[in-house]
């Protein structure tokens, strides 16, 4: 195919047609044509030549030029596209490094292979431009609901025409066994918009909790206006869901507003979600109260919260146990997702048995260590004493309130407890030294002999070893694996060490060893406190 005047006249028309079809800038199509023609010319004149093509945006005329650049003598590598200052003097007046000599070359005739290559270049450039345009158009729409039309289904994934682009609804983002046919209308949540070198870059979801929240925002004007806020959503897509709402206007019931007249508002959402049952729950800042609401329709007798572990124990009557757990654990699982807490459910009988077991264990501890009879040990436990430290170091007055305990008895109890604790501490320290613990760790402030023994058993025997520990290795913590919260046991967790205490002790050890500059540490702490203060002020202002 020769680049004749007739062909040149068609270039701009073709570029404009492609640009209109793909909704991109015609200039990008022309640039792709220039690149494809330059590639074809290089195959004719030589790949090492710097051949460039310029298409006149008005006439469509293609001009082929060869460009040579002036370089330093020692940098000359490509003799076809570069030349030295001395060589350039026959073409340029007073040439300098960086100058270019441009000369027009005859147009090339494109054979079948060159024409096919040019076509591929143009198509590739057009696809890239189309993806860039699509990304720019949709990047700010992530987190919203969009209506689209089904184009086709590929391996369980639904390709959706969203007007100006294609999106994909992946198999695991469909509700249950939803199936769609071409031209079906579809409503979905734009989960993510990201740049992809090839393929789709708009990802939809109908299973995301945010999809339900956005649907309620569309159906309930009070949510759209900000009078009612959705605080949390948990879903078992296609089956059941829980949504927690709060009203900032005391005269408006958040649950009633979301349900609507005769259930019209919530029913509209249920219909869109293929009949998914929805529990609308009033949100409460008090976590135990919120959890009681979240476990509806089950009735709860008692709630015990462990904030540090992010765990909560719920006691329910025997007849309410199956209702609280739900079918296949669904109710308690959704309540856990909604509150972001691990929930242990037990019956009143199970809780009573556990409490009795703890009572007996503490009674046995006091009988064995303090040489008490069972009745006296039970008196101590009944008064709330749970360990020897509490007996040894509590104010004497707190022991005197126990029936039958006078000052002499109280002092004797404390003396026995202290003697036992000191003996235990000495034994723990001897064991730690036998394991090879160095004085640097023994003398470090804040570690008891029992803690040092536990560290030694775990291979932490020097202050350097201690300084390399992470806070969660010492205090324990929780991690999420495959959607399940998993407990990481800490070396010093049995001694009640918190993450904050562990972090402070590790940083102190690093300062003592000279690994951390205390001035920098203090500056970082001030910066953190300043940021916390600004956040608090912003929240107060809001």
């Amino acid at each position: 195919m020769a680049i004749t005047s007739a062909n040149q006249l068609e270039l701009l028309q073709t570029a404009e047609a492609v640009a209109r079809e793909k909704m991109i800038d015609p200039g990008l199509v022309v640039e792709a044509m220039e690149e494809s023609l330059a590639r074809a010319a290089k195959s004719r004149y030589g790949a090492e030549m710097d051949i460039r093509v310029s298409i006149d945006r008005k006439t469509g005329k293609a001009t082929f030029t060869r460009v040579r650049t002036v370089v330093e003598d020692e940098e000359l590598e490509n003799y076809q596209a570069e030349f030295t200052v001395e060589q350039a003097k026959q073409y340029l007046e007073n040439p300098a490094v960086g100058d270019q000599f441009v000369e027009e070359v005859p147009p090339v005739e494109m054979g079948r292979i060159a024409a096919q290559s040019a076509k591929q270049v143009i198509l590739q450039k057009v696809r890239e431009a189309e993806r860039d345009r699509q990304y720019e158009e949709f990047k700010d729409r992530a987190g919203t609901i969009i209506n689209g039309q089904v184009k086709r289904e590929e391996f369980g994934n639904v390709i959706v025409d969203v007007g100006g682009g294609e999106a994909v609804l992946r198999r695991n983002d469909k509700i249950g066994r939803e199936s769609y046919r071409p031209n079906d209308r579809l409503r979905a949540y734009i989960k993510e918009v990201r740049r992809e070198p090839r393929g789709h870059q708009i990802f939809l979801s109908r299973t995301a909790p945010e999809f339900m929240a956005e649907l309620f925002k569309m159906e309930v004007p009070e949510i759209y206006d900000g009078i009612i806020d959705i605080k949390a959503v948990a879903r078992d897509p296609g089956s059941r869901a829980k949504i927690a709402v709060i009203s900032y206007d005391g005269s408006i019931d958040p649950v009633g507003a979301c349900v609507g007249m005769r259930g019209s508002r919530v029913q509209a959402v249920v219909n869109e979600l293929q009949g998914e049952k929805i529990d609308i729950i009033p949100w409460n800042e008090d976590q135990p109260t919120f959890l009681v609401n979240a476990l509806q329709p089950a009735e709860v007798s008692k709630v015990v919260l462990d904030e540090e572990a992010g765990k909560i124990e719920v006691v329910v009557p025997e007849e309410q146990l199956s209702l609280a757990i739900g079918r296949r654990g669904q109710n308690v699982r959704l309540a856990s997702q909604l509150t972001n807490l691990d929930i242990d459910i037990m019956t009143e009988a199970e809780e009573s048995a556990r409490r009795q077991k703890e009572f007996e264990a503490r009674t046995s501890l006091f009988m064995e260590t303090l040489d008490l009879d069972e009745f006296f040990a039970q008196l101590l436990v009944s008064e709330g004493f749970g360990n020897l430290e509490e007996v040894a170091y509590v104010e004497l007055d707190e022991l005197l309130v126990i029936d039958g305990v006078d000052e002499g008895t109280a002092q004797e109890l404390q003396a026995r407890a202290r003697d036992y604790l000191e003996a235990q501490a000495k034994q723990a320290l001897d064991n730690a030294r036998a394991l090879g613990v160095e004085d640097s760790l023994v003398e470090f402030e804040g570690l008891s002999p029992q803690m040092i023994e536990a560290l030694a058993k775990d291979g932490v025997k020097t202050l350097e070893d201690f300084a390399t520990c992470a806070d969660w290795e010492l205090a324990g913590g929780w991690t999420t694996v495959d959607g399940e919260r998993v407990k990481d046991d800490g070396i010093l967790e049995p001694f009640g060490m918190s993450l904050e205490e562990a972090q402070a002790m590790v940083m102190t050890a690093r300062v003592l060893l000279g690994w951390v500059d205390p001035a920098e540490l203090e500056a970082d702490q001030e910066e953190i406190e300043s940021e916390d203060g600004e956040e608090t002020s912003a929240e107060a202002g809001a």
Side-chain angles (χ1 to χ4, degrees), residues 86-104:
E86 194 62 36
Q87 292 170 341
K89 286 181 179 178
Q90 58 182 309
Y91 304 103
L92 298 170
E93 185 177 348
N94 299 323
V97 173
D99 288 350
Q100 290 183 332
F101 174 65
V102 181
E103 59 180 335
E104 191 170 342

Side-chain angles (χ1 to χ4, degrees), residues 12-76:
L12 292 181
Q13 296 174 354
T14 305
E16 289 175 3
V18 172
R20 275 198 306 271
E21 181 184 348
K22 302 296 184 180
M23 290 185 291
I24 59 177
D25 182 4
L28 294 173
V29 183
V30 175
E31 287 175 12
M33 290 177 171
E34 290 173 341
E35 185 178 329
S36 65
L37 291 173
R39 185 174 296 188
K42 283 184 180 182
S43 66
R44 167 68 177 82
Y45 288 112
E48 292 185 348
M49 286 193 181
D50 185 0
I51 303 294
R52 303 180 189 181
V53 178
S54 175
I55 297 176
D56 190 293
R57 296 318 195 252
K58 294 181 179 180
T59 64
K61 181 182 178 181
T63 303
F64 291 71
T65 55
R66 177 189 179 186
V67 179
R68 280 185 284 182
T69 305
V70 180
V71 297
E72 299 282 1
D73 293 2
E74 62 272 13
E75 294 179 0
L76 182 63

Side-chain angles (χ1 to χ4, degrees), residues 210-247:
E210 296 87 353
F211 182 46
M212 175 182 287
E214 288 297 314
L215 287 173
F216 268 103
K217 189 181 291 185
M218 294 170 68
E219 296 294 335
V220 183
E222 291 86 348
I223 296 177
Y224 182 83
D225 293 336
I227 300 170
I228 294 175
D229 189 19
I230 297 174
K231 302 293 287 187
V233 180
R235 291 182 64 193
D236 193 349
S239 177
R240 195 176 194 92
K242 291 179 183 287
I243 180 169
V245 292
I246 185 173
S247 172

